[in-house]
Amino acid sequence: MSIIKIRSQPMEIDIQTELENFNWTRPRWTSDKLIAASPFRYDGNPSFFVNLTGDYAGCWGDSGSYDSEWSSGNFVKLLAFLRNETYEEAEEYLVYKYGKATGCELALVLPKLTLPQQKMYLPDMFMSRYSVSMENNYLARRGITEKVQRFMTTGYDSKSRTVVIPWYATNGKLANVKYRKTLGKVFYYEKGAVPIRNLIYGLNNVYRLRATTAVVTEAEIDAMSVMSSGAKLLGIALGGANFTDYQRDLLIRSPIRRLIVLGDNDKAGGKLRDQVVEKMRGHCELAVANIDTCKDANEVLTKEGPECLREIIQGAKAVKALRIF
């Protein structure tokens, strides 16, 4: 355990255990440091480090960063990126998990005596500031068709070279926006908007079209890959490798009667698949589609083609219902 300040309060955090929950490229663990390829960009060399202990525990550095904002930072910033959530949500996760008994004394992390910030829908005209043209072509290079891009109302900020991916609530209101840099892997969300953990990407389309079947994935680009494959099914995404109870309730209330689970081909993807099956069993018909040769749906689309991804989805195996004796 190492001491890290969360919301100005020192807390004992198991940094190594938290980091071991994620897949690293060429990792080397020492007694006080993790050295690996950068998670923020396409990097084959160990040019990224995280301090595991000491006065700078949790601090990290990326020697080959494209952006000064992502050349170094604290543990909360790194964890927010790895967990695919906002900085504030990562803080909440750590406070909830580690703000508890330590030894014989109870360490209470008390909230500040202020009203919590209200999570707001974004203005209806928010996306109008971003181009909807194909000038960047980033998503097209990832195999996402122009038809799907326009259907999902993606945008592009030419000034920051960022793909803008809107998340809508089931009532059709703009709830949050994901900004994805076209250089590297850096992304972030709009501050003060509805938390991603309380949304499902693309679920608004399920309501709009009264669709009864959907394919659930981890990331937005995988959901768009499903729709670009010609499978004639809506893709939805959870936004990370965790299926929250709030998201479960959103799905249960939705028109979906058959759910195809298409997780990433890694440990986190397997965990997510099991979470969805466990929490949704008995609420709708379930099927699991497995990716064997690529890491995710988008890689199947770009490397093996839309027909291969379509066959994986069509070959999903039904999950047997639990017997009640």
Side-chain angles (χ1 to χ4, degrees):
M1 292 282 194
S2 298
I3 302 296
I4 295 179
K5 281 192 175 182
I6 307 295
R7 295 176 180 171
S8 301
Q9 299 190 54
M11 296 179 61
E12 286 190 343
I13 306 294
D14 191 340
I15 298 174
Q16 181 165 338
T17 296
E18 293 297 331
L19 295 178
E20 286 175 344
N21 288 325
F22 304 97
N23 293 316
W24 297 91
T25 301
R26 300 185 64 184
R28 181 162 65 90
W29 299 89
T30 69
S31 60
D32 62 349
K33 189 172 293 187
L34 163 64
I35 301 172
S38 172
F40 306 126
R41 51 193 171 84
Y42 299 99
D43 178 25
N45 298 311
S47 55
F48 174 87
F49 74 88
V50 187
N51 292 315
L52 304 177
T53 62
D55 293 340
Y56 296 97
C59 293
W60 53 268
D62 184 358
S63 62
S65 65
Y66 303 136
D67 187 335
S68 60
E69 184 181 352
W70 293 89
S71 62
S72 62
N74 62 23
F75 184 65
V76 177
K77 184 175 182 178
L78 174 62
L79 194 63
F81 177 86
L82 296 173
R83 286 173 54 85
N84 197 22
E85 60 191 14
T86 65
Y87 190 95
E88 292 75 18
E89 289 174 298
E91 283 185 321
E92 290 175 9
Y93 162 76
L94 292 172
V95 168
Y96 180 80
K97 184 172 182 178
Y98 293 99
K100 54 187 179 182
T102 56
C104 298
E105 297 180 356
L106 184 64
L108 294 178
V109 180
L110 299 175
K112 294 181 180 179
L113 297 178
T114 57
L115 291 175
Q117 182 182 11
Q118 186 176 6
K119 305 300 181 181
M120 301 291 292
Y121 291 125
L122 300 175
D124 292 338
M125 297 300 293
F126 186 90
M127 288 297 295
S128 64
R129 70 187 73 178
Y130 300 112
S131 167
V132 294
S133 72
M134 302 294 288
E135 63 182 271
N136 170 256
N137 228 21
Y138 171 82
L139 289 175
R141 293 198 304 272
R142 300 289 296 269
I144 309 305
T145 66
E146 182 175 354
K147 182 179 179 180
V148 170
Q149 291 184 50
R150 294 189 182 279
F151 181 72
M152 303 305 285
T153 65
T154 59
Y156 177 66
D157 183 356
S158 57
K159 185 177 180 180
S160 61
R161 296 183 181 180
T162 304
V163 174
V164 185
I165 304 175
W167 283 61
Y168 295 94
T170 56
N171 59 9
K173 292 185 178 296
L174 183 59
N176 208 323
V177 170
K178 181 176 184 175
Y179 301 94
R180 173 60 158 86
K181 293 281 189 178
T182 59
L183 187 62
K185 303 178 183 179
V186 169
F187 62 84
Y188 50 93
Y189 294 98
E190 186 70 21
K191 289 185 177 181
V194 179
I196 295 300
R197 66 172 181 268
N198 292 344
L199 299 167
I200 294 179
Y201 178 74
L203 193 60
N204 60 303
N205 295 320
V206 169
Y207 276 87
R208 183 157 60 92
L209 301 177
R210 305 305 298 175
T212 57
T213 301
V215 181
V216 61
T217 66
E218 178 177 332
E220 306 95 333
I221 199 167
D222 292 321
M224 288 188 274
S225 297
V226 168
M227 293 186 287
S228 297
S229 72
K232 297 183 179 180
L233 291 172
L234 289 178
I236 59 177
L238 302 174
N242 188 44
F243 183 45
T244 68
D245 290 344
Y246 197 100
Q247 290 174 322
R248 174 204 61 198
D249 293 343
L250 287 176
L251 284 180
I252 291 173
R253 293 195 298 266
S254 78
I256 294 174
R257 295 296 172 262
R258 182 171 186 259
L259 186 66
I260 300 173
V261 186
L262 182 61
D264 289 359
N265 183 23
D266 57 20
K267 183 171 66 174
K271 178 182 176 182
L272 180 65
R273 176 200 61 216
D274 294 344
Q275 282 184 337
V276 175
V277 169
E278 179 183 353
K279 291 184 178 183
M280 291 302 296
R281 194 193 294 266
H283 296 290
C284 68
E285 182 183 343
L286 291 168
V288 172
N290 292 313
I291 297 172
D292 298 321
T293 59
C294 296
K295 67 182 181 67
D296 55 32
N298 185 248
E299 188 171 279
V300 175
L301 179 67
T302 55
K303 289 190 174 181
E304 301 188 3
E307 183 177 348
C308 183
L309 180 56
R310 202 162 58 240
E311 289 177 355
I312 289 173
I313 295 168
Q314 293 169 347
K317 296 182 179 180
V319 176
K320 294 182 180 180
L322 288 173
R323 286 187 178 183
I324 300 177
F325 295 94

